Amino acid sequence: KQEVTQIPAALSVPEGENLVLNCSFTDSAIYNLQWFRQDPGKGLTSLLLIQSSQREQTSGRLNASLDKSSGRSTLYIAASQPGDSATYLCAVPYYGGSQGNLIFGKGTKLSVKP
Amino acid sequence: EAGVAQSPRYKIIEKRQSVAFWCNPISGHATLYWYQQILGQGPKLLIQFQNNGVVDDSQLPKDRFSAERLKGVDSTLKIQPAKLEDSAVYLCASSLRASSYEQYFGPGTRLTVT
């Protein structure tokens, strides 16, 4: 059974810091891994999707890496801004009983203080 | 390109009442998902449709929850009767296909059962 864990559960940093969010998964047989952002009371916004054949993906100040063999992914945020404050979720598709069902971690709640 | 649409955005009902949520996926997306997100948790899949057929409803509480996807486009999720523990955000997502494609989420419906 696939399980996804995110550490830390919450993080508070001053503006301008570089930071790393961690995601681990128990079953390394994944097709891809997706990072999402969720603002309070809102839906999920996809940030980055890394295919299993890729090692990393970049979008602006965000860089996500994937190490399938160790069951880990990291989301690196450079030069953090107050607007980055949100909950960040990682998810992997699970094909045990269906096609593409996403298994989510509980998220890391990020607060960037001015 | 229009995103995934959901309505209503918020709903407050008393326990034992019924409620229905509506979702319109991105045009051309064959796969539609309904997720339940309880406060402080990651989303959990309730049901997955491929076109208008159910692929996975193993985690849907079928004694009170039902869902349909007419003509392989719009979908409705119904709860009858609602319980206090059904208070959550209900997220609809769609993807081009189920396999390894990126999922796109709607804004969600926040349900409060009193």
Side-chain angles (χ1 to χ4, degrees), chain A:
Chain A
K1 178 185 175 184
Q2 178 73 274
E3 292 183 0
V4 179
T5 303
Q6 291 187 247
I7 295 173
L11 183 63
S12 181
V13 300
E15 181 177 4
E17 269 202 11
N18 301 325
L19 56 99
V20 174
L21 307 181
N22 296 292
C23 172
S24 61
F25 44 94
T26 54
D27 186 346
S28 62
I30 62 170
Y31 284 75
N32 58 53
L33 184 143
Q34 203 165 351
W35 282 94
F36 294 89
R37 169 184 171 138
Q38 187 172 33
D39 292 285
K42 303 290 179 64
L44 277 65
T45 301
S46 179
L47 297 173
L48 290 163
L49 182 146
I50 312 176
Q51 298 292 350
S52 61
S53 58
Q54 297 174 314
R55 297 298 295 270
E56 63 179 56
Q57 275 278 19
T58 298
S59 176
R61 293 182 295 107
L62 305 179
N63 176 275
S65 67
L66 175 63
D67 184 344
K68 277 184 57 177
S69 61
S70 66
R72 293 180 183 175
S73 176
T74 60
L75 179 66
Y76 175 83
I77 302 177
S80 58
Q81 302 171 359
D84 295 330
S85 297
T87 297
Y88 292 80
L89 296 140
C90 68
V92 295
Y94 180 63
Y95 295 87
S98 69
Q99 298 292 313
N101 170 20
L102 282 178
I103 306 296
F104 285 85
K106 292 183 178 181
T108 294
K109 186 174 183 179
L110 173 65
S111 176
V112 181
K113 301 193 180 304

Side-chain angles (χ1 to χ4, degrees), chain B residues 7 18 22 34 43 56 59 68 71 74 76 84 87 89 91 107:
Chain B
S7 68
S18 62
W22 173 82
W34 282 102
D56 185 355
Q59 299 189 88
E68 61 181 3
K71 300 180 182 178
D74 293 5
T76 56
L84 295 177
S87 294
V89 175
L91 296 162

Side-chain angles (χ1 to χ4, degrees), chain B residues 13-80:
Chain B
I13 62 173
E14 296 181 352
K15 59 183 179 182
R16 290 187 289 275
Q17 287 187 328
S18 62
V19 64
F21 312 129
W22 173 82
C23 172
N24 180 243
I26 292 173
S27 178
H29 280 197
T31 310
L32 185 147
Y33 312 81
W34 282 102
Y35 290 86
Q36 179 193 57
Q37 185 179 23
I38 293 173
L39 187 64
Q41 304 288 319
K44 181 188 78 172
L45 181 75
L46 290 176
I47 189 167
Q48 178 182 349
F49 292 93
Q50 182 71 18
N51 297 309
N52 60 351
V54 175
V55 174
D56 185 355
D57 62 357
S58 58
Q59 299 189 88
L60 187 74
K62 298 181 185 64
D63 57 335
R64 298 183 300 105
F65 285 64
S66 64
E68 61 181 3
R69 189 180 184 194
L70 300 175
K71 300 180 182 178
V73 182
D74 293 5
S75 177
T76 56
L77 176 69
K78 297 178 181 178
I79 308 175
Q80 181 180 12

